Amino acid sequence: GQQVMQIPQYQHVQEGEDFTTYCNSSTTLSNIQWYKQRPGGHPVFLIQLVKSGEVKKQKRLTFQFGEAKKNSSLHITATQTTDVGTYFCAGLPSGGSYIPTFGRGTSLIVHP
Amino acid sequence: DVKVTQSSRYLVKRTGEKVFLECVQDMDHENMFWYRQDPGLGLRLIYFSYDVKMKEKGDIPEGYSVSREKKERFSLILESASTNQTSMYLCASSLFTPGVGDYEQYFGPGTRLTVT
């Protein structure tokens, strides 16, 4: 079945440094979503990417979808302590399925 | 705003008890999901429902069953709770527009279940 690999599992940064997490799917995706889970909270939808090569920005967050629609990345510029949490990607396989496959998440720890 | 609510934030049950976890969404979504979340393992899909009375097994359905009698409500049942079912349980609902490709999943606050 479809697999979505997400790296790294953990990332420690100093406040102000940049951060990137990567997702790679074993199959072509129709859509990829990104979620953030704060410590003690539940995953919250951030964004979805649909088009090949798509790039979307939300303030300091930049999301990319690969040309082949099999990989994606989330980049945070100049991290802040409020960015702490686990970031998950979730890929929807092409072909009409509505069951996403989640990556295992990247936990971001920001040191002040 | 989409609201997904779960019946309990914390639950402690004994081994062998029957456990019901309830989830309600208020956005008329077709699709509802039950996941469990364990450290280092991410989100694992237990069951999925795409319509009333319709369900599909996810990746780890053993030891669980589900019920969807109404569109807004999706229940997870542990027939005989065991200690290895101690976990965080997350319910979600989603809206999917085929052809357009829009897909968003909305999660409830979670139920932390401890089986002793």
Side-chain angles (χ1 to χ4, degrees):
Chain A
Q2 182 196 18
Q3 291 187 6
V4 174
M5 306 299 293
Q6 188 173 356
I7 57 168
Q9 188 175 359
Y10 299 95
Q11 183 77 60
H12 289 254
V13 299
Q14 289 294 131
E15 191 172 16
E17 291 181 339
D18 292 357
F19 159 78
T20 306
T21 173
Y22 302 90
C23 275
N24 285 291
S25 170
S26 57
T27 59
T28 303
L29 303 171
S30 65
N31 168 303
I32 192 159
Q33 313 112 53
W34 285 92
Y35 297 81
K36 177 182 179 181
Q37 184 174 22
R38 294 182 187 275
H42 58 275
V44 174
F45 174 82
L46 293 177
I47 207 161
Q48 61 169 340
L49 302 167
V50 179
K51 299 175 185 172
S52 169
E54 189 168 16
V55 178
K56 287 188 176 180
K57 291 183 186 252
Q58 287 181 350
K59 296 183 181 177
R60 295 177 294 104
L61 278 61
T62 302
F63 303 84
Q64 291 190 319
F65 202 9
E67 293 290 340
K69 300 183 76 173
K70 293 181 76 172
N71 55 59
S72 182
S73 65
L74 157 60
H75 179 82
I76 302 178
T77 304
T79 54
Q80 300 174 359
T81 53
T82 53
D83 296 325
V84 163
T86 301
Y87 293 84
F88 293 95
C89 63
L92 208 57
S94 55
S97 170
Y98 29 69
I99 303 176
T101 299
F102 279 81
R104 290 194 177 186
T106 297
S107 293
L108 172 63
I109 301 102
V110 180
H111 299 278
Chain B
D1 268 357
V2 176
K3 257 224 170 72
V4 180
T5 56
Q6 295 183 229
S7 48
S8 308
R9 289 302 304 273
Y10 301 94
L11 211 51
V12 179
K13 295 291 181 181
R14 293 195 181 277
T15 301
E17 278 192 84
K18 192 168 185 175
V19 182
F20 292 87
L21 303 181
E22 304 282 335
C23 174
V24 178
Q25 52 98 0
D26 67 357
M27 279 302 290
D28 203 36
H29 285 171
E30 306 286 336
N31 307 319
M32 295 188 75
F33 306 78
W34 275 106
Y35 295 92
R36 65 177 281 178
Q37 185 174 30
D38 301 287
L41 297 179
L43 292 159
R44 293 183 291 168
L45 182 64
I46 305 172
Y47 265 98
F48 160 68
S49 170
Y50 53 93
D51 203 349
V52 174
K53 296 191 189 295
M54 307 303 285
K55 61 187 180 187
E56 281 188 22
K57 293 180 180 179
D59 300 317
I60 51 165
E62 296 78 20
Y64 303 95
S65 62
V66 290
S67 171
R68 192 158 179 210
E69 297 296 319
K70 293 185 177 181
K71 191 175 186 179
E72 68 272 17
R73 190 178 297 270
F74 192 33
S75 303
L76 180 69
I77 303 141
L78 287 66
E79 295 290 342
S80 178
S82 63
T83 54
N84 63 13
Q85 292 178 310
T86 291
S87 186
M88 170 68 84
Y89 289 88
L90 288 161
C91 174
S93 72
S94 74
L95 183 64
F96 179 41
T97 311
V100 176
D102 280 352
Y103 191 94
E104 300 176 30
Q105 218 171 34
Y106 297 89
F107 286 84
T111 296
R112 186 163 293 283
L113 173 67
T114 303
V115 183
T116 62

